[in-house]
Amino acid sequence: QVQLVESGGGAVQAGDSLRLSCAASGRTFSTYAMGWFRQAPGKEREFVAAITWSGGNTVYADSVKGRFTISRDHAQNTVFLQMISLKPEDTAVYYCAARTSYMYSLPTSYNAYDYWGQGTQVTVSS
């Protein structure tokens, strides 16, 4: 089992920055990849970014490329999502997810992940 706890969400203005954190505990040594997803009201959960736990390879959704950066800290068992130049359309609940088994390419589908956090709200006003 892997437990995930997100933090760092909040209400900001367009153009502002936020850094989300996802603290992992439990069987973290079995983690292959960590991902961030988001879900806006009335919309499906969508992929944001993912990173391999060991090698640090990353992949991003086109909508956030150049604005969001995913990173991980092994010592803290934490994954971060640095968000800059935030837009109102970034408003959503942001979820952290963990996958424990290897995949040839970083997973971008929500059903490829085994564990989920409870989510943290990000609200961007214009």
Side-chain angles (χ1 to χ4, degrees), residues 6-63:
E6 302 98 333
S7 61
V12 297
Q13 299 284 325
D16 285 351
S17 301
L18 274 177
R19 189 176 80 157
L20 305 183
S21 299
C22 174
S25 61
R27 296 173 62 87
T28 57
F29 60 86
S30 64
T31 300
Y32 164 67
M34 300 286 290
W36 284 97
F37 289 75
R38 65 187 182 187
Q39 188 166 18
K43 295 188 176 181
E44 293 188 352
R45 191 168 299 192
E46 66 171 352
F47 171 76
V48 175
I51 187 168
T52 54
W53 190 246
S54 59
N57 295 327
T58 59
V59 63
Y60 296 91
D62 288 343
S63 59

Side-chain angles (χ1 to χ4, degrees), residues 24-106:
S25 61
R27 296 173 62 87
T28 57
F29 60 86
S30 64
T31 300
Y32 164 67
M34 300 286 290
W36 284 97
F37 289 75
R38 65 187 182 187
Q39 188 166 18
K43 295 188 176 181
E44 293 188 352
R45 191 168 299 192
E46 66 171 352
F47 171 76
V48 175
I51 187 168
T52 54
W53 190 246
S54 59
N57 295 327
T58 59
V59 63
Y60 296 91
D62 288 343
S63 59
V64 305
K65 279 182 183 176
R67 300 189 300 122
F68 291 11
T69 302
I70 188 171
S71 62
R72 84 271 191 257
D73 185 318
H74 287 144
Q76 299 183 50
N77 279 338
T78 300
V79 172
F80 302 99
L81 186 68
Q82 178 68 50
M83 307 183 293
I84 67 171
S85 302
L86 282 161
K87 304 175 182 180
E89 50 264 44
D90 294 319
T91 295
V93 177
Y94 282 70
Y95 297 91
C96 174
R99 177 180 172 91
T100 55
S101 58
Y102 172 81
M103 281 185 72
Y104 179 76
S105 58
L106 271 170

